[in-house]
Amino acid sequence: MKRSQSCPISILEKMNSLPRHMLQLAGTPNVSEFVLHELACKDCFNLSKAAYFVDNPAFDCLKGLAGITQQEMYDPNKIIWEDPADFTRYMEQSRFNQKVRQCFQSSCRRCDRPDEHIIAEIAEQLEMDNYAYCTWDLKHENHGYLIYQPCDDTPDVEQLLNGLCLLGFCPVH
């Protein structure tokens, strides 16, 4: 296994502050949009595009929960945690986020097709070129999927997965 490179200070600062911010939004249905926005931004993992899905084999569904692109990033002069209602309205208008949230299909884990084929179809629907993806286990036997387009300085997958695990603490609506 390849050893992770050292983590830049900005990523550590983001990761350190996210749990507190998440707790402040307890009861908010779109916490995953907030978390993905922070993880994908330039001063964290710097993802050009990122789409977060939850696969629930028990209910045979794969559901899109949040989508972020660098082109549609929230106003960099505003802090998303200071006005959650404004950020939520902004995300409701985001074309890419809408496309991700409209994705709903049979579970990757329950079908006979490999994840790679299903992910490739979704990436095409989302107009994602040169994408990568990762999966991780979530509570209640669910599975997280992130389809993303990395930038040149995106950290390695192990560092990214450490951040993505925070999405597992977000409610699924």
Side-chain angles (χ1 to χ4, degrees):
M1 174 184 255
K2 183 179 142 186
R3 189 154 196 242
S4 295
Q5 301 169 0
S6 63
C7 210
I9 297 299
S10 61
I11 293 175
L12 294 174
E13 288 172 348
K14 283 279 186 205
M15 298 290 290
N16 190 41
S17 68
L18 275 172
R20 179 194 295 173
H21 291 305
M22 291 167 66
L23 285 174
Q24 291 171 341
L25 295 178
T28 303
N30 65 325
V31 177
S32 58
E33 291 174 351
F34 287 81
V35 173
L36 186 61
H37 180 278
E38 293 296 272
L39 294 174
C41 70
K42 288 182 181 182
D43 61 345
C44 195
F45 291 114
N46 195 22
L47 304 176
S48 176
K49 286 184 179 180
Y52 170 53
F53 297 84
V54 170
D55 187 300
N56 183 313
F59 289 100
D60 191 21
C61 68
L62 175 72
K63 178 179 175 39
L65 294 182
I68 299 290
T69 69
Q70 290 290 336
Q71 293 80 14
E72 292 183 351
M73 265 313 167
Y74 190 64
D75 183 344
N77 298 315
K78 294 182 181 179
I79 298 171
I80 64 173
W81 310 101
E82 289 180 354
D83 190 350
D86 186 54
F87 178 74
T88 297
R89 283 188 298 276
Y90 181 81
M91 291 304 293
E92 287 170 350
Q93 301 303 311
S94 163
R95 186 180 77 77
F96 187 72
N97 189 48
Q98 288 174 2
K99 284 177 88 171
V100 170
R101 292 182 65 90
Q102 289 170 356
C103 289
F104 188 87
Q105 63 185 52
S106 296
S107 168
C108 289
R109 300 290 168 121
R110 285 199 47 186
C111 70
D112 293 332
R113 297 175 56 217
D115 286 356
E116 295 82 19
H117 295 181
I118 295 167
I119 297 301
E121 289 172 2
I122 293 171
E124 185 177 333
Q125 290 171 14
L126 298 175
E127 302 170 15
M128 294 177 76
D129 300 321
N130 302 317
Y131 66 91
Y133 78 95
C134 51
T135 67
W136 65 101
D137 292 332
L138 299 171
K139 58 188 175 186
H140 308 301
E141 298 180 21
N142 292 324
H143 306 278
Y145 285 81
L146 186 78
I147 307 171
Y148 65 98
Q149 286 182 291
C151 293
D152 290 339
D153 59 346
T154 297
D156 68 26
V157 175
E158 283 301 311
Q159 288 182 15
L160 180 59
L161 276 171
N162 287 335
L164 294 176
C165 285
L166 289 172
L167 289 165
F169 296 100
C170 299
V172 176
H173 291 277

